[in-house]
Amino acid sequence: MADPQNAAAVALAQEVGGQLGGQALGVLKSSWSMVSAYIQRGPQGMSWLCFVGGMTTFAFGLLGFIDIFEALFEPLYYLVNFYQMLFGLATCILEAPVEWVGASAQISQAQKFLLEYAKFLTTFGGRGLFYLFQGSLSISLTGVSLQFLLGCYMFFVGALCIAAQYGIIAEDMGFRAGAHSRQQNDSYIRIES
């Protein structure tokens, strides 16, 4: 009598597992098609992917920073959340949509300040390394969690930026190695006399 019940349970588990696996695969395919659509938009699309990562990093950092007990019992964790909050805000400022930068003098000034005093952020490669660093901070905070997923996302975005820097992403997608859509063709190091 136990064998038919076990067989029915196994069959039900296989059916439910197959359905869940199919749904998960469908979500992954649609997510990848959405991400690849943003990549194909060129620098503006990648900028939007980076902006979303920056907003999420800022939100996670803020949530960790609000927990004041962490400052007492886990000061390093608290400090890393503070850094995440600042780096997420910097990412949002750098990757803000062009319309927002044009409409807000504060965003425009903040963006100019960052690009003036953090020259490495003026290239895709520099930004990619910055996003890899942000991802490593997120991954270092916990095991497998939302922070870990955020870290993986930031690693992915950082790798995309580095690929754009070195021309690994096709030129016909609108990328120019070493250039960013909002950046003029100024030299990396300015010499003023």
mmCIF file of all heavy atoms in Angstrom, residues 32-69:
data_model
loop_
_atom_site.group_PDB
_atom_site.id
_atom_site.type_symbol
_atom_site.label_atom_id
_atom_site.label_comp_id
_atom_site.label_asym_id
_atom_site.label_seq_id
_atom_site.Cartn_x
_atom_site.Cartn_y
_atom_site.Cartn_z
ATOM 1 N N TRP A 32 16.601 37.895 -19.413
ATOM 2 C CA TRP A 32 17.774 38.041 -20.273
ATOM 3 C C TRP A 32 17.429 38.834 -21.530
ATOM 4 O O TRP A 32 18.218 39.662 -21.972
ATOM 5 C CB TRP A 32 18.371 36.694 -20.641
ATOM 6 C CG TRP A 32 19.516 36.863 -21.586
ATOM 7 C CD1 TRP A 32 19.569 36.507 -22.892
ATOM 8 C CD2 TRP A 32 20.761 37.504 -21.314
ATOM 9 N NE1 TRP A 32 20.768 36.867 -23.443
ATOM 10 C CE2 TRP A 32 21.523 37.492 -22.488
ATOM 11 C CE3 TRP A 32 21.301 38.094 -20.180
ATOM 12 C CZ2 TRP A 32 22.789 38.039 -22.563
ATOM 13 C CZ3 TRP A 32 22.569 38.639 -20.257
ATOM 14 C CH2 TRP A 32 23.295 38.602 -21.439
ATOM 15 N N SER A 33 16.258 38.620 -22.098
ATOM 16 C CA SER A 33 15.897 39.379 -23.297
ATOM 17 C C SER A 33 15.744 40.860 -22.964
ATOM 18 O O SER A 33 16.112 41.715 -23.768
ATOM 19 C CB SER A 33 14.627 38.816 -23.943
ATOM 20 O OG SER A 33 13.515 39.006 -23.107
ATOM 21 N N MET A 34 15.229 41.170 -21.766
ATOM 22 C CA MET A 34 15.108 42.568 -21.363
ATOM 23 C C MET A 34 16.497 43.191 -21.168
ATOM 24 O O MET A 34 16.755 44.297 -21.640
ATOM 25 C CB MET A 34 14.306 42.680 -20.075
ATOM 26 C CG MET A 34 14.063 44.117 -19.631
ATOM 27 S SD MET A 34 13.057 44.243 -18.155
ATOM 28 C CE MET A 34 14.165 43.578 -16.931
ATOM 29 N N VAL A 35 17.395 42.480 -20.490
ATOM 30 C CA VAL A 35 18.748 42.996 -20.268
ATOM 31 C C VAL A 35 19.475 43.163 -21.595
ATOM 32 O O VAL A 35 20.136 44.182 -21.832
ATOM 33 C CB VAL A 35 19.530 42.078 -19.303
ATOM 34 C CG1 VAL A 35 21.010 42.415 -19.287
ATOM 35 C CG2 VAL A 35 18.955 42.169 -17.901
ATOM 36 N N SER A 36 19.350 42.191 -22.493
ATOM 37 C CA SER A 36 20.040 42.311 -23.784
ATOM 38 C C SER A 36 19.462 43.460 -24.610
ATOM 39 O O SER A 36 20.181 44.107 -25.363
ATOM 40 C CB SER A 36 19.998 40.998 -24.560
ATOM 41 O OG SER A 36 18.676 40.646 -24.879
ATOM 42 N N ALA A 37 18.175 43.755 -24.443
ATOM 43 C CA ALA A 37 17.588 44.910 -25.134
ATOM 44 C C ALA A 37 18.222 46.204 -24.629
ATOM 45 O O ALA A 37 18.519 47.109 -25.413
ATOM 46 C CB ALA A 37 16.076 44.938 -24.941
ATOM 47 N N TYR A 38 18.451 46.293 -23.311
ATOM 48 C CA TYR A 38 19.114 47.481 -22.766
ATOM 49 C C TYR A 38 20.549 47.578 -23.258
ATOM 50 O O TYR A 38 21.039 48.662 -23.568
ATOM 51 C CB TYR A 38 19.086 47.475 -21.237
ATOM 52 C CG TYR A 38 17.804 48.016 -20.668
ATOM 53 C CD1 TYR A 38 16.881 47.178 -20.076
ATOM 54 C CD2 TYR A 38 17.518 49.376 -20.728
ATOM 55 C CE1 TYR A 38 15.702 47.673 -19.552
ATOM 56 C CE2 TYR A 38 16.345 49.876 -20.208
ATOM 57 C CZ TYR A 38 15.439 49.026 -19.622
ATOM 58 O OH TYR A 38 14.276 49.521 -19.112
ATOM 59 N N ILE A 39 21.240 46.442 -23.336
ATOM 60 C CA ILE A 39 22.618 46.455 -23.823
ATOM 61 C C ILE A 39 22.663 46.926 -25.269
ATOM 62 O O ILE A 39 23.528 47.709 -25.656
ATOM 63 C CB ILE A 39 23.259 45.056 -23.666
ATOM 64 C CG1 ILE A 39 23.404 44.708 -22.188
ATOM 65 C CG2 ILE A 39 24.607 44.987 -24.367
ATOM 66 C CD1 ILE A 39 23.789 43.270 -21.933
ATOM 67 N N GLN A 40 21.711 46.472 -26.083
ATOM 68 C CA GLN A 40 21.690 46.847 -27.490
ATOM 69 C C GLN A 40 21.353 48.315 -27.697
ATOM 70 O O GLN A 40 21.615 48.856 -28.762
ATOM 71 C CB GLN A 40 20.719 45.956 -28.256
ATOM 72 C CG GLN A 40 21.212 44.535 -28.380
ATOM 73 C CD GLN A 40 20.206 43.622 -29.036
ATOM 74 O OE1 GLN A 40 19.100 44.025 -29.378
ATOM 75 N NE2 GLN A 40 20.570 42.365 -29.198
ATOM 76 N N ARG A 41 20.785 48.959 -26.703
ATOM 77 C CA ARG A 41 20.511 50.395 -26.811
ATOM 78 C C ARG A 41 21.783 51.216 -26.758
ATOM 79 O O ARG A 41 21.756 52.423 -26.970
ATOM 80 C CB ARG A 41 19.578 50.844 -25.699
ATOM 81 C CG ARG A 41 18.182 50.349 -25.844
ATOM 82 C CD ARG A 41 17.317 50.891 -24.748
ATOM 83 N NE ARG A 41 16.021 50.254 -24.774
ATOM 84 C CZ ARG A 41 15.098 50.430 -23.863
ATOM 85 N NH1 ARG A 41 15.327 51.244 -22.844
ATOM 86 N NH2 ARG A 41 13.949 49.817 -23.941
ATOM 87 N N GLY A 42 22.882 50.575 -26.418
ATOM 88 C CA GLY A 42 24.150 51.275 -26.356
ATOM 89 C C GLY A 42 24.380 51.886 -24.992
ATOM 90 O O GLY A 42 23.850 51.415 -23.984
ATOM 91 N N PRO A 43 25.142 52.947 -24.944
ATOM 92 C CA PRO A 43 25.504 53.555 -23.666
ATOM 93 C C PRO A 43 24.306 53.975 -22.818
ATOM 94 O O PRO A 43 24.345 53.840 -21.600
ATOM 95 C CB PRO A 43 26.334 54.772 -24.066
ATOM 96 C CG PRO A 43 26.907 54.395 -25.386
ATOM 97 C CD PRO A 43 25.848 53.566 -26.063
ATOM 98 N N GLN A 44 23.234 54.471 -23.438
ATOM 99 C CA GLN A 44 22.079 54.877 -22.642
ATOM 100 C C GLN A 44 21.420 53.674 -21.967
ATOM 101 O O GLN A 44 21.006 53.757 -20.819
ATOM 102 C CB GLN A 44 21.034 55.613 -23.497
ATOM 103 C CG GLN A 44 21.455 56.994 -23.917
ATOM 104 C CD GLN A 44 22.348 56.991 -25.141
ATOM 105 O OE1 GLN A 44 22.463 55.989 -25.844
ATOM 106 N NE2 GLN A 44 23.000 58.110 -25.399
ATOM 107 N N GLY A 45 21.327 52.569 -22.655
ATOM 108 C CA GLY A 45 20.746 51.374 -22.068
ATOM 109 C C GLY A 45 21.596 50.812 -20.947
ATOM 110 O O GLY A 45 21.082 50.428 -19.896
ATOM 111 N N MET A 46 22.902 50.771 -21.159
ATOM 112 C CA MET A 46 23.788 50.291 -20.105
ATOM 113 C C MET A 46 23.774 51.248 -18.929
ATOM 114 O O MET A 46 23.857 50.832 -17.780
ATOM 115 C CB MET A 46 25.209 50.123 -20.629
ATOM 116 C CG MET A 46 25.388 48.802 -21.302
ATOM 117 S SD MET A 46 27.077 48.326 -21.613
ATOM 118 C CE MET A 46 28.003 48.941 -20.284
ATOM 119 N N SER A 47 23.659 52.523 -19.213
ATOM 120 C CA SER A 47 23.588 53.517 -18.153
ATOM 121 C C SER A 47 22.363 53.274 -17.280
ATOM 122 O O SER A 47 22.419 53.405 -16.056
ATOM 123 C CB SER A 47 23.556 54.913 -18.768
ATOM 124 O OG SER A 47 23.815 55.878 -17.804
ATOM 125 N N TRP A 48 21.245 52.899 -17.912
ATOM 126 C CA TRP A 48 20.040 52.609 -17.143
ATOM 127 C C TRP A 48 20.234 51.374 -16.262
ATOM 128 O O TRP A 48 19.820 51.362 -15.107
ATOM 129 C CB TRP A 48 18.853 52.439 -18.077
ATOM 130 C CG TRP A 48 17.583 52.204 -17.338
ATOM 131 C CD1 TRP A 48 16.860 51.068 -17.297
ATOM 132 C CD2 TRP A 48 16.895 53.132 -16.487
ATOM 133 N NE1 TRP A 48 15.768 51.224 -16.486
ATOM 134 C CE2 TRP A 48 15.763 52.483 -15.975
ATOM 135 C CE3 TRP A 48 17.136 54.440 -16.102
ATOM 136 C CZ2 TRP A 48 14.875 53.091 -15.101
ATOM 137 C CZ3 TRP A 48 16.241 55.060 -15.237
ATOM 138 C CH2 TRP A 48 15.135 54.385 -14.758
ATOM 139 N N LEU A 49 20.879 50.340 -16.788
ATOM 140 C CA LEU A 49 21.168 49.144 -15.979
ATOM 141 C C LEU A 49 22.040 49.509 -14.771
ATOM 142 O O LEU A 49 21.807 49.037 -13.657
ATOM 143 C CB LEU A 49 21.866 48.077 -16.819
ATOM 144 C CG LEU A 49 21.041 47.403 -17.911
ATOM 145 C CD1 LEU A 49 21.920 46.487 -18.754
ATOM 146 C CD2 LEU A 49 19.881 46.631 -17.320
ATOM 147 N N CYS A 50 23.037 50.358 -14.992
ATOM 148 C CA CYS A 50 23.915 50.790 -13.904
ATOM 149 C C CYS A 50 23.143 51.639 -12.896
ATOM 150 O O CYS A 50 23.342 51.513 -11.687
ATOM 151 C CB CYS A 50 25.098 51.575 -14.463
ATOM 152 S SG CYS A 50 26.188 50.606 -15.520
ATOM 153 N N PHE A 51 22.261 52.504 -13.397
ATOM 154 C CA PHE A 51 21.455 53.364 -12.514
ATOM 155 C C PHE A 51 20.582 52.518 -11.588
ATOM 156 O O PHE A 51 20.485 52.793 -10.392
ATOM 157 C CB PHE A 51 20.596 54.317 -13.364
ATOM 158 C CG PHE A 51 19.751 55.256 -12.553
ATOM 159 C CD1 PHE A 51 20.314 56.375 -11.960
ATOM 160 C CD2 PHE A 51 18.401 55.011 -12.383
ATOM 161 C CE1 PHE A 51 19.543 57.242 -11.208
ATOM 162 C CE2 PHE A 51 17.620 55.875 -11.632
ATOM 163 C CZ PHE A 51 18.192 56.996 -11.048
ATOM 164 N N VAL A 52 19.950 51.495 -12.140
ATOM 165 C CA VAL A 52 19.110 50.604 -11.326
ATOM 166 C C VAL A 52 19.961 49.912 -10.256
ATOM 167 O O VAL A 52 19.554 49.804 -9.092
ATOM 168 C CB VAL A 52 18.373 49.581 -12.219
ATOM 169 C CG1 VAL A 52 17.734 48.486 -11.396
ATOM 170 C CG2 VAL A 52 17.338 50.287 -13.076
ATOM 171 N N GLY A 53 21.150 49.467 -10.624
ATOM 172 C CA GLY A 53 22.052 48.869 -9.646
ATOM 173 C C GLY A 53 22.460 49.852 -8.569
ATOM 174 O O GLY A 53 22.538 49.502 -7.384
ATOM 175 N N GLY A 54 22.700 51.096 -8.953
ATOM 176 C CA GLY A 54 23.055 52.127 -7.984
ATOM 177 C C GLY A 54 21.917 52.426 -7.022
ATOM 178 O O GLY A 54 22.136 52.587 -5.818
ATOM 179 N N MET A 55 20.693 52.498 -7.551
ATOM 180 C CA MET A 55 19.534 52.739 -6.683
ATOM 181 C C MET A 55 19.364 51.601 -5.682
ATOM 182 O O MET A 55 19.098 51.837 -4.497
ATOM 183 C CB MET A 55 18.256 52.888 -7.516
ATOM 184 C CG MET A 55 18.094 54.239 -8.156
ATOM 185 S SD MET A 55 16.562 54.498 -9.080
ATOM 186 C CE MET A 55 15.410 53.350 -8.442
ATOM 187 N N THR A 56 19.513 50.388 -6.157
ATOM 188 C CA THR A 56 19.352 49.225 -5.281
ATOM 189 C C THR A 56 20.473 49.181 -4.235
ATOM 190 O O THR A 56 20.221 48.908 -3.061
ATOM 191 C CB THR A 56 19.331 47.932 -6.104
ATOM 192 O OG1 THR A 56 18.371 48.064 -7.155
ATOM 193 C CG2 THR A 56 18.974 46.734 -5.260
ATOM 194 N N THR A 57 21.692 49.483 -4.652
ATOM 195 C CA THR A 57 22.814 49.524 -3.715
ATOM 196 C C THR A 57 22.581 50.583 -2.647
ATOM 197 O O THR A 57 22.811 50.352 -1.459
ATOM 198 C CB THR A 57 24.133 49.799 -4.465
ATOM 199 O OG1 THR A 57 24.354 48.757 -5.418
ATOM 200 C CG2 THR A 57 25.308 49.864 -3.523
ATOM 201 N N PHE A 58 22.107 51.752 -3.073
ATOM 202 C CA PHE A 58 21.811 52.824 -2.115
ATOM 203 C C PHE A 58 20.740 52.378 -1.125
ATOM 204 O O PHE A 58 20.870 52.582 0.087
ATOM 205 C CB PHE A 58 21.370 54.090 -2.842
ATOM 206 C CG PHE A 58 20.971 55.204 -1.912
ATOM 207 C CD1 PHE A 58 21.931 55.961 -1.268
ATOM 208 C CD2 PHE A 58 19.631 55.466 -1.656
ATOM 209 C CE1 PHE A 58 21.568 56.973 -0.388
ATOM 210 C CE2 PHE A 58 19.256 56.474 -0.789
ATOM 211 C CZ PHE A 58 20.225 57.231 -0.150
ATOM 212 N N ALA A 59 19.669 51.764 -1.625
ATOM 213 C CA ALA A 59 18.568 51.330 -0.757
ATOM 214 C C ALA A 59 19.050 50.284 0.251
ATOM 215 O O ALA A 59 18.739 50.379 1.447
ATOM 216 C CB ALA A 59 17.427 50.776 -1.599
ATOM 217 N N PHE A 60 19.823 49.297 -0.201
ATOM 218 C CA PHE A 60 20.321 48.268 0.717
ATOM 219 C C PHE A 60 21.277 48.877 1.744
ATOM 220 O O PHE A 60 21.256 48.517 2.917
ATOM 221 C CB PHE A 60 21.022 47.148 -0.045
ATOM 222 C CG PHE A 60 20.084 46.152 -0.664
ATOM 223 C CD1 PHE A 60 18.786 46.473 -0.997
ATOM 224 C CD2 PHE A 60 20.515 44.872 -0.936
ATOM 225 C CE1 PHE A 60 17.932 45.552 -1.572
ATOM 226 C CE2 PHE A 60 19.666 43.936 -1.506
ATOM 227 C CZ PHE A 60 18.375 44.282 -1.828
ATOM 228 N N GLY A 61 22.133 49.794 1.286
ATOM 229 C CA GLY A 61 23.051 50.463 2.210
ATOM 230 C C GLY A 61 22.305 51.288 3.239
ATOM 231 O O GLY A 61 22.654 51.285 4.424
ATOM 232 N N LEU A 62 21.258 51.979 2.807
ATOM 233 C CA LEU A 62 20.457 52.788 3.720
ATOM 234 C C LEU A 62 19.756 51.914 4.759
ATOM 235 O O LEU A 62 19.745 52.242 5.953
ATOM 236 C CB LEU A 62 19.430 53.610 2.936
ATOM 237 C CG LEU A 62 18.549 54.559 3.747
ATOM 238 C CD1 LEU A 62 19.397 55.625 4.423
ATOM 239 C CD2 LEU A 62 17.509 55.197 2.846
ATOM 240 N N LEU A 63 19.200 50.795 4.314
ATOM 241 C CA LEU A 63 18.531 49.890 5.256
ATOM 242 C C LEU A 63 19.510 49.351 6.298
ATOM 243 O O LEU A 63 19.179 49.227 7.478
ATOM 244 C CB LEU A 63 17.857 48.743 4.510
ATOM 245 C CG LEU A 63 16.621 49.121 3.697
ATOM 246 C CD1 LEU A 63 16.133 47.922 2.885
ATOM 247 C CD2 LEU A 63 15.519 49.645 4.592
ATOM 248 N N GLY A 64 20.722 49.023 5.868
ATOM 249 C CA GLY A 64 21.735 48.547 6.807
ATOM 250 C C GLY A 64 22.258 49.653 7.702
ATOM 251 O O GLY A 64 22.605 49.428 8.858
ATOM 252 N N PHE A 65 22.280 50.884 7.186
ATOM 253 C CA PHE A 65 22.784 52.023 7.947
ATOM 254 C C PHE A 65 21.788 52.469 9.010
ATOM 255 O O PHE A 65 22.175 52.952 10.074
ATOM 256 C CB PHE A 65 23.096 53.174 6.983
ATOM 257 C CG PHE A 65 23.829 54.312 7.614
ATOM 258 C CD1 PHE A 65 25.159 54.181 7.967
ATOM 259 C CD2 PHE A 65 23.199 55.520 7.857
ATOM 260 C CE1 PHE A 65 25.844 55.225 8.552
ATOM 261 C CE2 PHE A 65 23.875 56.571 8.436
ATOM 262 C CZ PHE A 65 25.208 56.429 8.791
ATOM 263 N N ILE A 66 20.514 52.291 8.742
ATOM 264 C CA ILE A 66 19.472 52.685 9.696
ATOM 265 C C ILE A 66 19.516 51.811 10.950
ATOM 266 O O ILE A 66 19.193 52.275 12.041
ATOM 267 C CB ILE A 66 18.073 52.615 9.028
ATOM 268 C CG1 ILE A 66 17.940 53.732 8.009
ATOM 269 C CG2 ILE A 66 16.966 52.701 10.050
ATOM 270 C CD1 ILE A 66 16.683 53.652 7.168
ATOM 271 N N ASP A 67 19.942 50.574 10.815
ATOM 272 C CA ASP A 67 20.005 49.650 11.943
ATOM 273 C C ASP A 67 21.140 50.072 12.880
ATOM 274 O O ASP A 67 22.282 49.640 12.741
ATOM 275 C CB ASP A 67 20.208 48.222 11.438
ATOM 276 C CG ASP A 67 20.105 47.187 12.536
ATOM 277 O OD1 ASP A 67 19.779 47.557 13.687
ATOM 278 O OD2 ASP A 67 20.336 46.005 12.229
ATOM 279 N N ILE A 68 20.832 50.909 13.842
ATOM 280 C CA ILE A 68 21.833 51.505 14.720
ATOM 281 C C ILE A 68 22.507 50.480 15.631
ATOM 282 O O ILE A 68 23.644 50.661 16.052
ATOM 283 C CB ILE A 68 21.213 52.664 15.544
ATOM 284 C CG1 ILE A 68 22.293 53.575 16.114
ATOM 285 C CG2 ILE A 68 20.322 52.145 16.632
ATOM 286 C CD1 ILE A 68 22.969 54.410 15.099
ATOM 287 N N PHE A 69 21.834 49.356 15.901
ATOM 288 C CA PHE A 69 22.433 48.327 16.746
ATOM 289 C C PHE A 69 23.643 47.687 16.063
ATOM 290 O O PHE A 69 24.555 47.213 16.732
ATOM 291 C CB PHE A 69 21.404 47.266 17.121
ATOM 292 C CG PHE A 69 20.331 47.798 18.031
ATOM 293 C CD1 PHE A 69 19.036 47.956 17.574
ATOM 294 C CD2 PHE A 69 20.629 48.170 19.338
ATOM 295 C CE1 PHE A 69 18.057 48.467 18.407
ATOM 296 C CE2 PHE A 69 19.661 48.678 20.176
ATOM 297 C CZ PHE A 69 18.364 48.832 19.715
#
